[in-house]
Amino acid sequence: MSDGAGAADGAGGAQAGRDRVRRRLAGSGRVLVLTGAGVSAESGIPTFRGEDGWWKQEDPTKLATQAAFDRDPSHVWEWYEYRRGLVAEAEPNPAHRALASLERSGPEVLVATQNVDDLHERAGSQAVTHIHGSIFRVRCQGCGREREDRRHPLPERPPRCDACGGLERPAVVWFGEMLPPSPIRRTGQFIDGGVDVALVIGTEASFGYIQGFARAARRAGALLVEVNPSHTVLSGVVDVRLAGPAGEILPTLFER
Ligand code: APR
């Protein structure tokens, strides 16, 4: 059981948990949403550590590190091109759309996502910040110039920088790399402004900064809610745990 007031495992608990979150959301002015790969799973995008997860099939050190890219940029780009194709063909699911409708319905919402796909924005969410970058942006290894490139397939692989001719890499955060400062600053400032509800959706929360944001939001007064079919690092910390697919649970939380 959590050190929060009531995880919602089990049928009776589940409904009570949902009702508690709905009541709190109904009067909320500020909602923080932390999402991970699980929120895009129902759009057909594999998670990383789930059953069919990328890291079950591939060795992350061979694909998502600077060393891997320096060793074999074509191999790394082959994988990112495959993922860009999946994202380009995917559609936002009811979870993405429910979050966008929550934002339209009044409260100030910030979606801080670990996902590099653009499904939150394509569902209509305006206030979205990408902690791990974007799969449709590239950055030059030579001059550092970053640009958006949504072409699929890319005409040239690996792509080259128009400005200096340098090799371009996906503008995402790889293992062992620093996080881009602005999403961290933006999320921290949002929490400092007070939070009524913090939703942690579809993430293992394996990274300390995600756990840190969740705990800080709770200290800032938020009802901390986890939406995930499985237990995670945060399950013992949340006030309400809603066990199930985000695409099924989120629409029931925000319906007016
Ligand atoms: N709805 C909600 N949650 C789901 C669903 C679903 N339909 N399907 C799976 N999940 C949950 C899983 O139970 C798991 O807890 O989503 C989580 C996915 O966890 P990971 O695959 O570890 O993804 P994530 O937490 O986003 O990983 C963080 O790690 O590999 C890096 O950079 C990569 O951004 C990624 C980061």
Side-chain angles (χ1 to χ4, degrees), residues 37 46-50 52-56 79 83 114-116:
T47 64
F48 291 89
R49 296 170 189 80
D52 62 349
W54 294 115
W55 302 150
K56 289 280 177 355
W79 185 56
R83 291 178 59 198
Q114 297 164 84
N115 299 346
V116 294

Side-chain angles (χ1 to χ4, degrees), residues 36-38 42 47-49 55 114 132 202-204 207 228-230 245-246:
E42 292 157 82
T47 64
F48 291 89
R49 296 170 189 80
W55 302 150
Q114 297 164 84
H132 294 162
T203 179
E204 278 296 315
F207 294 129
N228 195 314
S230 312

Side-chain angles (χ1 to χ4, degrees), residues 32 34 191 198 200 208-219 222 224 234 237-238:
L32 175 67
L34 300 170
I191 294 170
V200 184
Y209 45 87
I210 299 298
Q211 297 162 29
F213 285 144
R215 290 174 183 274
R218 194 159 185 270
R219 284 195 303 276
L224 185 57
L234 282 174
V237 175
V238 298

